[in-house]
Amino acid sequence: MATLAAKLGLKIMAIAFWLGNLLNISFDSQSDPKSQYLGILNIDNIHNPILLVTLGSVISIIAIAIILVRSSIVSLQRLKKSNQELESLVQETSYELDASKASLQRSNFILSRREQQLRKQQNVLFDLTKDKAINQGDFIVAVQNVTRTGSYALNVERASIWLFDKNKTLLHCLDLYQKSLHLHTEAEFLTAAAYPSFFKALLENRIIAVEDVQDDAIFQELVHPYCLPLNIVSVLISRFEVGGEIIGILLLEHTDIEHLWIEEEISFASSLADLLALGMEAQERRRAEESLRVEQKKSERLLLNVLPQEIAERLKNVQSKTKLHLKTSGTIVADSFEEVTVLFADIVNFTEYAASISASELVNVLNDIFSEFDHLVEQYDLEKIKTIGDSYMVVGGLPVPSKDHAVAIAEMALHMQTAIQKFKRTDGTNFSLRIGIHTGQAIAGVIGTKKFIYDLWGDTVNVASRMESYGLAGCTQVTEATYQLLKEKYYLEQRSAINIKGKGEMITYLLKGRI
């Protein structure tokens, strides 16, 4: 603005000098400029037409110049103000753009961090879903894996799992992981009697997210006895259920400074709680399966006490294929064997002895004697068929056929005669056995609708029974068929022909021992 005024002033001075030259007015440098200027404006010179015209023009020019100067000054002032306003607006806009840019950068950074956190949590959850401890029901190991990975994934100092009691009045910490110590421990119990509001909130809310425990009504009961001593500031709780029943909680605790739980963290904690529920369901399923296996083993052991193993397996296969039960299937398994050796043993005069003792004593004596015989059956890989009173029946050569069935029966008979000598009657005398053996064909199978057994039928069974009943106390009597199988290895003493009921006269032999 000043520059413009100066330029106008110079132009006016130039016009004045031009006028002076035109009027032959001399501007002596030594004269007073003021007087020279006044000379120009001398009234005497006003009557000069040329001068008047010239002065009028000058005055017009000066007036116009003054107007132009004033207008320029006003315009310049307005322009300066507009420039200032524009500069202010530009600066304000720049500030807003910078703020928007910073906000966008922060938003992008937060989004990036949340995306990284979400990806990290997804990887953790994916690894946990493949955890064998969770899937196979090893709940203790699964719990430790969840607390440890949860602590690192959410960057919290403390992660713990608590289980409710049956009445939901007590919480027991199953596992507490402390990140700074890399340590798994157990914490104290929490009771509903001491913290009623806290327990009520747990039972009413599946998720509880608290930024500052001191400002939250739920934790007022826990601030002084629990939170402050452990420096706990922020808490995230996710409840888990099994079969619709509330089982426990996952507790994540941030220490030292407040932590605002974002949606991804809350969702992650909820997913961890769901995994815990799956792990507990797997544990219950594992326990049920284990109980089922135990019961199945008991049933199998009981079945094997009644049936030979091969027959029991065949029986189970038949049932699984036909889906029939024993009570409706009748004879499930029946086989014909070309050659087996059957043994009957009977305790001599045991009926009279039984009449002289109590029932419990009778059962105990028979149990002791027959248990000894059972060990011999296992030793020689024979098959016990049954006991009837004081009679004991065993067979060799089935259900799996064997070539040495007669030898195995002979060995058992000799050991039975020795074993019975260990047992005494109440009067101090020894027990004695009559044993009968016969070799021949037989049919074996399972019969019955309820108390089924593996039994043996055929003439061979009848003859073996006759060998026992027509035998001698303390001796083992065998038939001609059995004698032919044993004569190369055992001493056998021939008896006189005896008349066997239903068979007539038969030549029999007494087994004395191994050659």
Side-chain angles (χ1 to χ4, degrees):
M1 186 70 69
T3 303
L4 182 61
K7 288 182 179 180
L8 290 173
L10 290 174
K11 288 183 178 180
I12 293 172
M13 291 294 295
I15 293 171
F17 279 110
W18 176 77
L19 289 174
N21 291 330
L22 182 64
L23 297 175
N24 295 318
I25 298 175
S26 176
F27 289 95
D28 189 355
S29 59
Q30 296 181 355
S31 63
D32 185 6
K34 182 179 180 181
S35 62
Q36 291 178 1
Y37 176 74
L38 292 174
I40 295 174
L41 300 178
N42 192 314
I43 192 67
D44 295 332
N45 296 328
I46 294 175
H47 298 287
N48 188 331
I50 296 174
L51 182 60
L52 288 174
V53 171
T54 302
L55 286 175
S57 299
V58 169
I59 291 170
S60 297
I61 291 171
I62 292 172
I64 291 171
I66 292 172
I67 292 171
L68 289 174
V69 168
R70 287 181 178 176
S71 177
S72 297
I73 291 172
V74 172
S75 298
L76 288 173
Q77 289 176 345
R78 290 177 179 175
L79 182 61
K80 182 178 181 181
K81 184 177 179 182
S82 297
N83 287 337
Q84 290 176 346
E85 291 177 352
L86 182 61
E87 288 177 0
S88 177
L89 180 61
V90 170
Q91 187 175 17
E92 182 179 351
T93 304
S94 298
Y95 288 153
E96 291 178 354
L97 288 174
D98 291 340
S100 298
K101 183 179 179 180
S103 177
L104 181 61
Q105 289 176 343
R106 284 195 302 272
S107 298
N108 290 335
F109 176 75
I110 292 173
L111 287 174
S112 177
R113 288 293 302 274
R114 293 179 72 169
E115 183 181 357
Q116 293 175 1
Q117 184 76 0
L118 183 60
R119 189 179 298 110
K120 178 181 178 181
Q121 293 169 3
Q122 288 175 340
N123 292 334
V124 169
L125 290 174
F126 182 72
D127 291 339
L128 286 175
T129 56
K130 297 187 297 181
D131 190 349
K132 291 183 178 179
I134 294 177
N135 296 323
Q136 297 179 1
D138 193 348
F139 191 62
I140 299 300
V141 176
V143 162
Q144 292 182 345
N145 291 344
V146 168
T147 54
R148 183 179 64 256
T149 55
S151 173
Y152 283 99
L154 294 180
N155 194 28
V156 295
E157 171 61 21
R158 295 162 57 89
S160 56
I161 293 173
W162 301 67
L163 298 181
F164 281 104
D165 66 343
K166 184 177 181 180
N167 298 322
K168 307 296 183 293
T169 58
L170 182 143
L171 274 172
H172 168 243
C173 181
L174 190 61
D175 181 70
L176 165 67
Y177 181 75
Q178 294 175 271
K179 185 161 67 74
S180 61
L181 301 177
H182 307 288
L183 181 65
H184 290 275
T185 59
E186 291 187 9
E188 297 179 354
F189 291 91
L190 297 177
T191 64
Y195 312 108
S197 298
F198 178 65
F199 271 71
K200 181 181 179 183
L202 292 179
L203 296 177
E204 292 177 351
N205 302 279
R206 191 176 187 278
I207 295 290
I208 298 176
V210 177
E211 184 176 353
D212 186 354
V213 293
Q214 297 192 48
D215 292 338
D216 192 88
I218 295 175
F219 281 87
Q220 290 308 302
E221 301 167 336
L222 290 164
V223 168
H224 293 287
Y226 181 80
C227 298
L228 291 180
L230 298 174
N231 201 25
I232 297 170
V233 180
S234 302
V235 171
L236 176 60
I237 299 174
S238 183
R239 195 180 69 197
F240 58 93
E241 303 176 359
V242 174
E245 180 183 0
I246 299 172
I247 300 299
I249 61 171
L250 168 65
L251 178 59
L252 302 166
E253 298 165 319
H254 205 283
T255 59
D256 297 328
I257 59 175
E258 294 181 7
H259 181 83
L260 177 61
W261 304 103
I262 61 176
E263 182 179 349
E264 288 80 4
E265 292 172 329
I266 295 174
S267 177
F268 178 71
S270 180
S271 298
L272 288 180
D274 291 339
L275 283 176
L276 285 171
L278 291 176
M280 183 161 281
E281 288 177 347
Q283 182 189 43
E284 293 300 321
R285 184 168 58 253
R286 180 183 178 185
R287 288 177 178 174
E289 291 173 352
E290 186 64 28
S291 298
L292 180 59
R293 281 194 294 268
V294 170
E295 292 302 319
Q296 286 176 337
K297 288 181 179 180
K298 289 181 180 179
S299 299
E300 289 177 1
R301 283 196 298 268
L302 181 60
L303 193 61
L304 291 176
N305 286 334
V306 178
L307 303 175
Q309 183 174 356
E310 293 78 5
I311 301 303
E313 293 296 331
R314 289 172 59 186
L315 182 60
K316 288 192 295 183
N317 291 336
V318 169
Q319 285 182 301
S320 63
K321 291 178 181 179
T322 62
K323 297 182 180 180
L324 294 176
H325 298 288
L326 286 173
K327 63 181 181 180
T328 60
S329 59
T331 301
I332 302 298
V333 177
D335 298 296
S336 178
F337 297 89
E338 287 299 320
E339 188 176 82
V340 297
T341 300
V342 181
L343 177 151
F344 276 92
D346 188 77
I347 302 174
V348 179
N349 297 325
F350 191 79
T351 302
E352 293 81 358
Y353 172 72
S356 65
I357 60 176
S358 65
S360 60
E361 290 176 321
L362 172 64
V363 172
N364 288 334
V365 170
L366 284 177
N367 180 67
D368 292 340
I369 294 174
F370 288 166
S371 294
E372 191 75 19
F373 294 168
D374 289 344
H375 292 313
L376 294 174
V377 169
E378 293 182 3
Q379 180 180 343
Y380 293 107
D381 196 21
L382 299 170
E383 193 63 45
K384 176 184 175 181
I385 299 301
K386 58 187 171 183
T387 61
I388 304 174
D390 60 333
S391 181
Y392 193 92
M393 179 182 178
V394 63
V395 63
L398 58 77
V400 179
S402 62
K403 295 181 179 180
D404 59 348
H405 53 83
V407 173
I409 287 291
E411 288 294 326
M412 179 164 179
L414 294 174
H415 281 86
M416 289 174 73
Q417 295 288 9
T418 301
I420 196 65
Q421 300 301 315
K422 297 189 299 183
F423 301 95
K424 305 290 183 180
R425 299 174 185 268
T426 53
D427 60 2
T429 59
N430 293 329
F431 288 102
S432 64
L433 288 176
R434 281 194 311 271
I435 298 177
I437 301 174
H438 177 54
T439 301
Q441 294 181 339
I443 297 173
V446 178
I447 63 172
T449 57
K450 292 184 179 180
K451 296 182 180 180
F452 56 94
I453 63 171
Y454 184 69
D455 210 346
L456 201 64
W457 303 275
D459 188 61
T460 299
V461 177
N462 296 331
V463 173
S465 177
R466 295 289 188 269
M467 288 297 101
E468 177 273 312
S469 60
Y470 286 88
L472 302 175
C475 295
T476 300
Q477 182 169 243
V478 304
T479 62
E480 178 71 25
T482 305
Y483 167 77
Q484 294 299 326
L485 297 174
L486 299 177
K487 64 181 180 179
E488 300 297 332
K489 298 180 180 179
Y490 295 89
Y491 294 109
L492 293 120
E493 178 183 316
Q494 183 176 340
R495 293 186 67 190
S496 300
I498 57 176
N499 190 17
I500 304 297
K501 183 179 179 180
K503 292 296 181 180
E505 289 189 352
M506 294 183 65
I507 300 298
T508 64
Y509 301 83
L510 298 179
L511 178 64
K512 295 297 184 178
R514 179 178 283 273
I515 296 176

